[in-house]
Amino acid sequence: GCGNVSTEVQIIIVDDHTAPVIQIPTWSIILKYIDAPGKVFINLSQTDIIEKLDELGDGSVYVEDECDEQVVPEFTLEVSYADDCVGEGYYEHRIYTWTATDICGNSSSISFDVYIIDDVAPVLLGVPSDETYICVPLPAQAVVTSDDPAQPVAIVISS
């Protein structure tokens, strides 16, 4: 009766059709590859880049959504290997994907893939040092193995 007015505002969202927005941190290696044209090739010897890619996971991106307070993205990494490293031009193919889905079922995703080229020579293990044997039986043939992260190695011992 004295002219005082009280107003309250309530916002009600009846139906959410807006997908969450996936944000990539400005410092992330993802930005380098997410919009790269064509195939992205990385050498196995580029260990700094390989290590950064190996560290990617759920927490590598952020998600904003109009309705949910927090949407946790689902991270998947698909890895396949070339049957013929030389013929196919790479030894490993990786596909990185993040999918964010809100409580209303709206989802968005980002993805990128890289091809890793094996440019690292295998390391031979167990190679004996040079020896000279005169008029004595030869020792047993050494067992030589290899350490190569990318491909099986054929070892040929010649005398």
Side-chain angles (χ1 to χ4, degrees), residues 62-74:
Y62 303 105
V63 179
E64 292 180 1
D65 188 59
E66 291 180 358
C67 291
D68 287 348
E69 289 183 20
Q70 182 179 12
V71 175
V72 178
E74 179 185 335

Side-chain angles (χ1 to χ4, degrees), residues 102-116:
D102 65 18
I103 59 173
C104 295
N106 303 306
S107 68
S108 60
S109 66
I110 61 169
S111 183
F112 72 92
D113 60 330
V114 294
Y115 294 86
I116 299 175

Side-chain angles (χ1 to χ4, degrees), residues 61-149:
V61 298
Y62 303 105
V63 179
E64 292 180 1
D65 188 59
E66 291 180 358
C67 291
D68 287 348
E69 289 183 20
Q70 182 179 12
V71 175
V72 178
E74 179 185 335
F75 171 72
T76 58
L77 172 59
E78 296 176 43
V79 179
S80 61
Y81 298 93
D83 292 328
D84 177 11
C85 187
V86 174
E88 295 183 47
Y90 67 92
Y91 99 92
E92 181 179 348
H93 178 214
R94 298 182 182 184
I95 302 172
Y96 297 85
T97 305
W98 290 264
T99 303
T101 305
D102 65 18
I103 59 173
C104 295
N106 303 306
S107 68
S108 60
S109 66
I110 61 169
S111 183
F112 72 92
D113 60 330
V114 294
Y115 294 86
I116 299 175
I117 299 170
D118 179 11
D119 66 334
V120 177
V123 176
L124 295 176
L125 306 170
V127 176
S129 59
D130 291 342
E131 297 285 336
T132 302
Y133 299 96
I134 300 173
C135 297
V136 295
L138 293 176
Q141 186 174 0
V143 176
V144 178
T145 61
S146 70
D147 182 18
D148 189 350

Side-chain angles (χ1 to χ4, degrees), residues 6-88:
S6 178
T7 304
E8 292 290 326
V9 177
Q10 180 183 20
I11 299 174
I12 299 173
I13 298 175
V14 177
D15 201 6
D16 176 16
H17 294 290
T18 305
V21 177
I22 299 175
Q23 303 285 334
I24 302 169
T26 57
W27 48 263
S28 177
I29 192 167
I30 299 169
L31 290 174
K32 184 173 183 177
Y33 301 112
I34 196 76
D35 292 323
K39 289 184 176 180
V40 175
F41 291 96
I42 299 169
N43 290 324
L44 190 58
S45 62
Q46 295 175 290
T47 55
D48 56 331
I49 295 174
I50 299 292
E51 287 171 3
K52 288 179 183 176
L53 290 172
D54 289 344
E55 293 171 358
L56 294 175
D58 290 339
S60 299
V61 298
Y62 303 105
V63 179
E64 292 180 1
D65 188 59
E66 291 180 358
C67 291
D68 287 348
E69 289 183 20
Q70 182 179 12
V71 175
V72 178
E74 179 185 335
F75 171 72
T76 58
L77 172 59
E78 296 176 43
V79 179
S80 61
Y81 298 93
D83 292 328
D84 177 11
C85 187
V86 174
E88 295 183 47

